[in-house]
Each structure stands twice: as structure tokens, then as C-alpha cells.
Amino acid sequence: MEKIVKRSWRRRAALTAAIATVAAATTMGAASVSAASEQGTAPATGQEIVEALTGLLPEGTEITESFGEGYQDSEYPYAFVEATDNTGGATTIDVGVHRSVGDWRDYAGCPEYIDEGDTGGGIEDGFRGDCVETELSDGRLLSVNTWEYETDGTGEGEDGEAQHSIGWDVWLEGPGNPDFENETGRNVYLSQYKDLTEVADAGAYVPVLDEAQLAEAAQSPVWQDLLAALDAEYGEPVEEEWDGFDDGPQIPAAQLQDTFRSLAPEGIEVTPVEAGEEEVDYASLLVDDGRGAVLVDISAFGPWDDEDFEEGFEEGIAFDAAADEEFGPECEHTVLDNGNELNVCTWAPSDDDPLGLWSATVYYADGSSLDITQYNVADWDSDPTRADAPLSVDQLADIAADSAWQDLFGASAV
């Protein structure tokens, strides 16, 4: 018996070209079941996994580019191909498999980018789409996500260029090897993407694989053979921990906020933005000169890799290179009297993009660094509160360069 759930959804236009990648990352922690298979039938090399994928495409499909990695190359095998379509251009198709630790249902199914109460499936900010979940008879979950993005480039925050793209994301997810000591999961991810921006008659575009073919391709036994081969080759999967900034100085958010408040010039009201008790090396505040509060973010980073840092520190970083570009911040790089390096950047708001930012970053001799960035918004759900900011870029630089911050770094290392 199969259970079908259909969800309509919308996503902010800011996701645009990266949307397929984001969707993949959202669910790659999930997985899908595989029956015991002969390891010899699984794609072991990049060439073999590309052949496995192209073998699932319609007969006569012309491949113009391809690459991949089999299970002997990586614990995260994948294949990528570009196939000629009826427009004379290329459609991108890729596949990957992944094993996870924990309850696979925690991540399985359609992406959770669904606005509360959204049942229309219409266009908002140029984006539309829907996702269908099907629970298979063996308990696995098949999700087919279809989306389309189209804009003429004249909307708020857009860069003035028309964009039009379409894509499909398919996930097949379920439990992992029952012989493993811990609960695990398995996932097959298959996507198809087409940029229609330059296509004269986008409505005439025919995808290389329709939705039924995509679902069938994701359920091909070859991917289950591949997952079984990963079990045999690498053993039980282990939980992947993202270290993030665990190697940082471990300065509590409250200390970062207090230090900033003590260094702020007279006439500036500083209000801490609430942070979790365990938040370290990052803090937010609101600063106000009486003409509108804006957001300030403070980030502390630990040392770089020694070789990379020494090379960058000795040669200097061309931070001001972007100043000559048509788009991007205007930056100025300075070596301070104490040997630290200061980089100050201004990205002024404009009619096309009302968001502005001003940042000051200090690089210390041991490779650690401090970044303070001021925006012209009070929060990320509201429009800019003003065209300028309470702190000038020079004031921001003076705050960031103060020795009080380096004292914080030193104290945290004790």
C-alpha cells in the first residue's frame, strides 16, 4: 500500500541558482534501504558510476560532459552529466548516495521550506513549485520535488538581469543495514536542472527525464548495490561532526557584547541581542545614534593553519582589489603599529540594493582574527531602517583595533 502526500511550497527568490544544491544539502543526511547485493555489481570507479547514470537515460541521449567518483574513490560517490536536450542546449543530471547515523525519518521527505498556510502553489518572488512524497510498500520514502524560478530582473533586490530556470530533485530514503550496531539510514539523491534564461521558447522545453522516469531512475537497483558496497568497503557509518568554530577562542557572547559597549563612542546607545547561554565567538547588538537602530555582528576566529597564515600574513592580502570592481565593497587594508592587520570595507546601499554594510576586521599575528560588521537593518525580517549607519567606518575601525579585544583572546586561552 502506498501513501501519497502532496505539498505546495514557496521559497525566497534569494535561493535562485543555488536552489538545487540547497535542497540536496537539506536532506543528504537522510538515507534509503538496500537489499543485500553483490559488491561486484556496484560502480567502483568514476567511469563506472557515470556509465550507471547514463544507462538510465533515454536511448540516444548525447552526453557532452561527465565526471564522478565510485565507492573505491570516495565514501560519498556521485555522478554528474550534461545531456543535450531538445533546445540544443544541455540539461544537467546528477546522482549521489549517502549513509547516515540516527533515525532517517528525522530528515526524510519533502524539504521543510513551506510557508505556514501555503496551499496555493502559485508564484511568489518569481518562485513556484510543489513536492510529492510517496511511502513505498517496503517503508521507504520517495520524494519528488519540482520547482521553477522566473523573474524579469526588475523586482526588489534583483540584479537587473532576467532569470529563468527549472529543476527536479528526487530523494529515495529509508533505513540502513540492520546488521549495524546503531540505527543508520541510506539515501539516493537524483536531480535534473535546466537554465532556460537564453531559451527562446522556454515552454517548448522537454526535460531529458520526466517525473516518472526520474522516480524510476532513483529506484534503480544499481544505487542499492552501491550502498551495499559502501557498507562492505567502509563499515558502519559514523556521525559526522561539524567542528564549526570549535577551534576558536571560545569567548562568550556576553563578553563580546560588553567589550563593544565599553568601546562605543559617546552618544551611541548599545543594546545586546539575546544570545544562547552556550553561544561563543559570536554576538549581535543593536546600535543607535537616535536616528534609527541597526544591527552589529561580532565574530571571533581562532588561528588559521600555520603555513597558510604565515604566507598570507607575510605577503599581505589584497583586500582593496574589489574597490576597482563594478560590484562589491570598497576596502582598505592597513598594517597597524603593533603589527596587526586591519581591513575596513564599505558596501554602501544603492537604489538597486538598499542593504548596506560596513565592516572592520583585525588579523592578529598568531592567525586569529576579529570581525565587526554593521548593517543598516535592525533585523533580517525588516527593510533597512536608514541609508547610513550610526557608526562611521573610522569609528568601527577604532573599536575593532582596540587592544581590549586581544586581551579577550588571551584570557580565553588561559
Side-chain angles (χ1 to χ4, degrees):
M1 181 175 179
E2 297 183 346
K3 176 185 176 184
I4 299 178
V5 180
K6 182 168 182 178
R7 301 175 181 171
S8 297
W9 53 278
R10 299 187 297 236
R11 277 190 273 184
R12 295 174 59 188
L15 296 177
T16 59
I19 205 135
T21 303
V22 172
T26 303
T27 58
M28 282 300 280
S32 100
V33 87
S34 98
S37 306
E38 292 293 335
Q39 188 170 344
T41 65
T45 66
Q47 180 179 350
E48 289 178 357
I49 195 170
V50 166
E51 291 174 351
L53 176 57
T54 55
L56 298 173
L57 304 182
E59 187 176 350
T61 301
E62 179 183 356
I63 304 300
T64 56
E65 184 177 353
S66 65
F67 52 85
E69 291 185 331
Y71 74 85
Q72 290 182 353
D73 304 314
S74 171
E75 191 175 349
Y76 309 97
Y78 71 92
F80 169 97
V81 302
E82 285 191 350
T84 300
D85 54 47
N86 72 312
T87 69
T91 293
T92 298
I93 302 169
D94 63 89
V95 67
V97 303
H98 182 80
R99 305 177 306 150
S100 66
V101 177
D103 187 351
W104 64 275
R105 287 191 176 275
D106 288 345
Y107 303 94
C110 290
E112 297 298 327
Y113 324 123
I114 306 170
D115 292 344
E116 186 175 351
D118 178 17
T119 58
I123 295 179
E124 178 175 297
D125 292 336
F127 205 91
R128 61 185 174 190
D130 61 63
C131 188
V132 177
E133 294 178 7
T134 304
E135 186 172 333
L136 305 180
S137 58
D138 59 7
R140 290 181 293 170
L141 193 64
L142 177 70
S143 306
V144 180
N145 179 25
T146 306
W147 59 267
E148 184 171 5
Y149 177 75
E150 184 175 11
T151 176
D152 60 8
T154 61
E156 183 177 344
E158 295 176 15
D159 60 9
E161 295 183 4
Q163 298 181 49
H164 190 186
S165 55
I166 189 169
W168 297 260
D169 304 309
V170 180
W171 297 269
L172 180 62
E173 302 158 302
N177 192 327
D179 296 333
F180 288 147
E181 179 179 352
N182 299 305
E183 185 173 11
T184 60
R186 291 177 174 170
N187 165 280
V188 178
Y189 169 72
L190 180 70
S191 78
Q192 180 175 240
Y193 169 83
K194 173 66 177 180
D195 184 354
L196 296 168
T197 305
E198 302 297 329
V199 176
D201 185 5
Y205 168 68
V206 178
V208 176
L209 297 172
D210 61 26
E211 290 184 28
Q213 290 171 320
L214 284 166
E216 182 179 0
Q219 296 176 77
S220 171
V222 68
W223 312 129
Q224 305 310 314
D225 293 343
L226 181 55
L227 285 160
L230 291 174
D231 288 348
E233 185 80 7
Y234 298 97
E236 184 171 348
V238 296
E239 187 171 1
E240 300 171 23
E241 296 184 0
W242 168 246
D243 293 335
F245 301 121
D246 289 347
D247 294 333
Q250 303 299 296
I251 303 172
Q255 290 187 23
L256 295 172
Q257 293 169 333
D258 290 344
T259 301
F260 184 95
R261 186 190 293 108
S262 70
L263 299 173
E266 271 188 52
I268 298 294
E269 181 182 354
V270 178
T271 306
V273 174
E274 186 176 355
E277 293 182 1
E278 298 181 359
E279 185 79 71
V280 295
D281 298 339
Y282 174 80
S284 291
L285 312 103
L286 290 175
V287 298
D288 192 354
D289 59 358
R291 297 191 299 112
V294 304
L295 189 66
V296 169
D297 286 343
I298 308 169
S299 298
F301 303 92
W304 299 358
D305 176 82
D306 290 342
E307 292 184 5
D308 289 342
F309 176 76
E310 288 175 5
E311 179 180 350
F313 197 84
E314 290 173 1
E315 296 181 1
I317 306 172
F319 289 110
D320 55 351
D324 296 327
E325 300 293 333
E326 182 179 358
F327 302 103
E330 295 183 0
C331 298
E332 182 178 349
H333 179 238
T334 306
V335 178
L336 303 176
D337 291 341
N338 59 8
N340 296 333
E341 299 197 24
L342 171 67
N343 182 55
V344 178
C345 290
T346 298
W347 200 324
S350 65
D351 291 339
D352 293 332
D353 185 358
L355 178 66
L357 68 83
W358 299 261
S359 69
T361 306
V362 177
Y363 299 87
Y364 304 117
D366 67 350
S368 56
S369 61
L370 173 81
D371 177 83
I372 303 177
T373 301
Q374 176 183 231
Y375 306 91
N376 62 341
V377 295
D379 60 69
W380 294 113
D381 293 324
S382 304
D383 293 331
T385 56
R386 51 197 291 177
D388 59 356
L391 295 170
S392 70
V393 70
D394 289 338
Q395 289 174 317
L396 204 63
D398 288 342
I399 292 173
D402 195 281
S403 61
W405 298 107
Q406 203 160 0
D407 292 342
L408 272 187
F409 278 74
S412 67
V414 175

